[in-house]
Each structure stands twice: as structure tokens, then as C-alpha cells.
């Protein structure tokens, strides 16, 4: 059975952002908010063709950064009944600045909530919750790092009143609507009030940073790595920069650095800031030279016929191998047991 061809997209630190199947579509979002969808073709593990041009995955990552372009997989359109959930998931997972517009559902239950200032709702004991709202629009925020969050909200209010997008089907942005923002600091939701905006921390439960870190660590533990042997020591090899903050304490990471020939490692170091070509993970620390490296020859790494294994499975295997065989443990003499003396009160009886 032929292996499925997967195109990997990385950032400039070699971290995997997402993958696409061969022939999948990539959406690129430009600084002015416009976007373009391009078909991608698998060339090999390190090259892909985007819109008819072949890129090395590192080259493509640099091209995106220099142009201020964000990219994400273009998922197939869902059924109409799933459209809101699909849009909300894409908004929450967007790797770039994004916004979402929520408006009250057109039901009798929300009649008394429409166009009401937040102060009036709170005085009446009414909460603003996601269950009463429809997600009516999502989009990309302009690449304007000079704009504050308040300025972004005001610019969206102006746009959705004076010049809304052609495919926007809701009413003009008004009091009682909610605007969601996704930025580098996370996700926030803001009530359109009579004067300005009021943040709604409890509008939609969003995983906090600690939960996100735990989720990423769990995902990394199950991600497949290449099982290799480094000078007789078992190790895992990744061709991207592994986030060390997500690794268990008993796992040790070292970077590979290439020399004149691209991709051929010549040294192993604590961290390779230039000419990076992979990360090795070990279950025990290595002894490096005084300058913090190990010089490699071409036979230093044995790829073991391309075997793959997850980090969690690797840890289990290494823990089992460190335990002595059962027969040996049974034959080991047990420590002598000291006689338990009766308590003083028992002696006096």
C-alpha cells in the first residue's frame, strides 16, 4: 500500500503549523484582508508546488513572513446545518488575526435582549450567552500592529455600518451584537454597548493558556518520530524544531547542525541557531565537549529502516529496558528484616 503524500507547512522556526494532503487547497490572507486560494502539489518531503511554483518548505515560510501573509488550510465547505460550528472552529483555530460577528437569534426568547445596553440587562439579571446568538460572519483582521484593541473594534463597527462586505447578510453592527477578536494574546469577546464596547469573559468558554499548553504537550507525546540509533543509543529524530517546553522532564533534546552540504549534520549541539537540520530526543543526557557540541561522522545516526514511534511509546519502551529481567530480580537476595521489638507498654504487662 502506498503511503499517503502529506505536504508540511512550517514557520521560520521549523515548527509544523499544519499539513495538507497532496492536491489540497491553501488559503493565503494578505495584509489588506484579501485572500487567495491555491492548489498545492506534493513534490517531496521538503518541497511543494504552490500555484505552479515549487518552493522548499523553509523558503515558503520565509516568503510568507516577509510578505506579511498568513496561510491556513482551506477546508471543504460543510453542510448548511454545520456552517456556524465550522466557522467558529476556524475562527478559534486561526493562526492569524481574525474576527467574528455574533447577532441575537431571531426568536421570541431574545426579543427583550435586542438593542439593550449591557447595564439594563445586568440590572434585570440577564446574562449575555453564546446560546442566544448566531455567528453571522468571520474574517481576517488587517495587519496593523499599531492599532489597539479598542481601535480595531471601532474600525469594525464603522465598516459594518458604512461599508459592510458584500457577502454579509446580518444587520448593521448595533447595540447587543458581540464581536470576537483572535490575536496573539488569545481570544476575547466584546459587547457592542451604547458607548463603546464591554468585554465578555464568559461569553464562550475558551481554553486558557495552561490548558492549551497541556493539550499541545499531549499532542506532541502522540506525534510520530523517526526511531534512530545515535552511536548505539536509542533516540527519536524530528526534522523540525521541537518545542522543549512541551517535553517531559526526563527527555533530553539536542539539535543537529549541517555544514557545507545542506541537510547533512556535522555537529550535535544543545541548540543550533543556524543551519538547523533536526532535533534528537534521548531518555538520558549526553556528554558534550567543552564547547557544547559533538562532532559527527556520516555513520553517527542509524535510521533503523525508517521505523516511526510516538514519544509516549518510546518512553514506555525505555522504561521497560531499564528494568532488570524478572528472573534476576527474583534471585536477588532480599534485605534482612530487623526483628520488631514490642512496645514498652507490652513489655511491662
Amino acid at each position: 500500500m502506498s503511503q499517503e503524500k502529506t505536504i508540511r507547512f512550517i514557520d521560520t522556526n521549523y515548527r509544523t503549523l499544519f499539513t495538507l494532503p497532496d492536491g489540497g487547497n491553501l488559503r493565503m490572507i494578505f495584509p489588506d484582508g484579501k485572500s487567495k486560494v491555491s492548489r498545492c502539489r506534493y513534490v517531496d518531503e521538503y518541497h511543494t508546488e504552490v500555484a505552479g511554483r515549487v518552493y522548499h518548505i523553509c523558503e515558503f515560510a520565509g516568503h510568507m513572513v516577509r510578505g506579511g501573509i498568513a496561510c491556513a488550510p482551506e477546508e471543504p465547505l460543510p453542510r448548511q446545518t454545520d456552517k456556524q460550528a465550522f466557522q467558529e472552529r476556524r475562527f478559534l483555530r486561526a493562526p492569524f488575526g481574525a474576527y467574528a460577528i455574533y447577532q441575537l437569534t431571531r426568536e421570541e426568547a431574545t426579543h427583550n435582549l435586542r438593542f439593550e445596553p449591557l447595564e439594563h440587562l445586568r440590572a434585570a439579571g440577564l446574562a449575555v450567552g453564546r446560546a442566544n446568538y448566531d455567528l453571522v460572519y468571520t474574517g481576517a483582521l488587517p495587519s496593523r500592529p499599531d492599532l489597539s484593541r479598542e481601535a480595531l473594534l471601532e474600525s469594525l463597527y464603522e465598516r459594518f455600518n458604512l461599508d459592510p462586505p458584500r457577502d454579509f447578510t446580518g444587520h448593521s453592527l448595533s447595540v447587543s451584537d458581540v464581536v470576537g477578536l483572535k490575536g496573539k494574546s488569545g481570544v476575547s469577546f466584546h459587547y457592542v454597548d451604547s458607548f463603546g464596547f464591554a468585554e465578555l469573559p464568559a461569553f464562550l468558554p475558551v481554553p486558557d493558556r495552561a490548558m492549551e499548553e497541556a493539550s499541545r504537550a499531549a499532542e506532541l507525546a502522540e506525534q510520530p518520530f523517526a526511531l534512530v540509533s545515535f552511536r548505539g543509543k536509542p533516540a527519536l529524530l524530528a526534522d523540525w524544531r521541537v518545542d522543549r517546553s512541551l517535553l517531559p522532564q526526563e527527555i533530553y533534546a539536542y539539535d543537529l547542525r549541517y555544514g557545507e552540504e545542506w541537510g547533512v549534520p556535522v555537529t550535535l549541539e544543545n541548540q543550533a541557531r543556524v543551519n538547523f537540520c533536526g532535533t534528537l530526543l534521548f531518555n538520558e543526557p549526553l556528554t558534550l565537549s567543552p564547547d557544547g557540541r559533538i562532532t559527527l561522522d556520516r555513520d553517527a545516526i542509524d535510521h533503523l529502516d525508517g521505523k516511526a514511534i510516538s514519544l509516549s511509546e518510546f518512553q514506555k519502551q525505555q522504561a521497560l529496558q531499564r528494568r532488570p529481567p524478572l528472573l534476576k530480580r527474583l534471585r536477588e537476595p532480599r534485605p534482612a528484616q530487623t526483628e520488631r521489638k514490642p512496645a514498652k507498654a507490652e513489655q511491662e504487662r
Side-chain angles (χ1 to χ4, degrees):
M1 183 181 292
S2 61
Q3 188 174 4
E4 182 182 358
K5 297 177 180 178
T6 302
I7 305 168
R8 188 160 61 91
F9 290 86
I10 63 174
D11 63 14
T12 51
N13 290 321
Y14 289 84
R15 292 177 296 195
T16 299
L17 297 174
F18 56 87
T19 59
L20 280 178
D22 186 21
N25 289 328
L26 178 74
R27 177 173 290 275
M28 292 177 282
I29 300 92
F30 299 91
D32 60 2
K34 296 181 180 179
S35 64
K36 175 184 177 183
V37 176
S38 298
R39 185 173 294 275
C40 303
R41 185 177 66 83
Y42 178 92
V43 177
D44 59 34
E45 188 177 358
Y46 298 102
H47 296 83
T48 182
E49 180 183 299
V50 181
R53 176 180 171 182
V54 175
Y55 295 89
H56 188 281
I57 57 174
C58 302
E59 178 192 5
F60 186 78
H63 178 63
M64 293 295 101
V65 170
R66 288 191 297 274
I69 305 168
C71 57
E74 176 65 7
E75 301 179 52
L77 288 176
R79 296 175 300 167
Q80 187 64 27
T81 54
D82 298 332
K83 189 172 182 180
Q84 281 196 49
F86 168 79
Q87 288 182 322
E88 193 162 62
R89 186 168 63 250
R90 187 166 66 175
F91 162 67
L92 294 173
R93 295 179 179 177
F96 48 85
Y99 67 88
I101 306 294
Y102 295 85
Q103 295 182 339
L104 287 164
T105 59
R106 299 180 181 276
E107 298 175 355
E108 186 65 27
T110 64
H111 180 74
N112 294 331
L113 307 178
R114 291 182 178 279
F115 312 117
E116 287 292 334
L118 189 58
E119 183 181 5
H120 291 182
L121 297 180
R122 288 175 173 169
L126 299 173
V128 180
R130 171 68 179 91
N132 291 325
Y133 282 80
D134 284 330
L135 175 59
V136 297
Y137 198 81
T138 60
L141 288 171
S143 181
R144 291 283 305 277
D146 57 311
L147 289 181
S148 65
R149 187 164 65 178
E150 290 71 20
L152 281 172
L153 290 167
E154 289 293 345
S155 67
L156 288 171
Y157 182 84
E158 182 177 332
R159 182 184 181 192
F160 280 84
N161 275 275
L162 302 180
D163 186 25
R166 290 185 178 182
D167 57 344
F168 176 63
T169 57
H171 58 73
S172 59
L173 205 58
S174 308
V175 173
S176 75
D177 292 345
V178 173
V179 179
L181 296 179
K182 172 70 184 290
K184 292 182 178 179
S185 59
V187 180
S188 59
F189 297 92
H190 308 267
Y191 189 85
V192 182
D193 217 343
S194 298
F195 298 96
F197 300 82
E199 188 166 356
L200 301 171
F203 179 74
L204 179 68
V206 177
D208 59 22
R209 189 176 297 274
M211 289 179 63
E212 288 183 358
E213 290 294 309
S215 176
R216 290 175 58 203
E219 184 178 340
L220 178 64
E222 300 306 321
Q223 186 165 341
F225 292 81
L227 180 62
V228 300
S229 174
F230 177 81
R231 295 183 173 177
K233 294 180 180 290
L236 298 180
L237 172 64
D239 58 0
W240 70 92
R241 289 187 186 271
V242 176
D243 188 342
R244 284 158 167 78
S245 68
L246 303 178
L247 291 172
Q249 291 185 350
E250 59 272 17
I251 293 297
Y252 300 85
Y254 301 90
D255 286 348
L256 298 170
R257 184 177 64 82
Y258 67 86
E260 296 181 357
E261 186 177 351
W262 192 94
V264 177
V266 294
T267 59
L268 178 142
E269 309 172 4
N270 279 318
Q271 281 194 312
R273 301 191 180 279
V274 296
N275 293 5
F276 169 88
C277 63
T279 297
L280 281 175
L281 305 179
F282 297 87
N283 68 321
E284 58 184 24
L286 301 182
T287 302
L288 307 183
S289 64
D291 61 352
R293 63 182 61 189
I294 296 176
T295 302
L296 307 179
D297 53 39
R298 285 185 175 268
D299 299 326
I301 301 175
D302 183 354
H303 287 266
L304 302 178
D305 300 324
K307 293 181 180 178
I309 189 175
S310 69
L311 177 57
S312 61
E313 189 63 29
F314 176 75
Q315 287 184 277
K316 292 176 184 176
Q317 288 187 5
Q318 297 309 305
L320 288 173
Q321 290 179 10
R322 284 197 297 268
R323 295 182 64 189
L326 178 60
L327 187 59
K328 180 180 178 181
R329 284 185 279 131
L330 291 175
R331 288 176 175 173
E332 288 178 349
R334 295 183 180 181
Q337 295 183 350
T338 57
E339 181 181 359
R340 293 182 59 190
K341 295 182 178 180
K344 184 176 181 181
E346 293 179 358
Q347 292 176 347
E348 294 175 351
R349 288 180 184 174

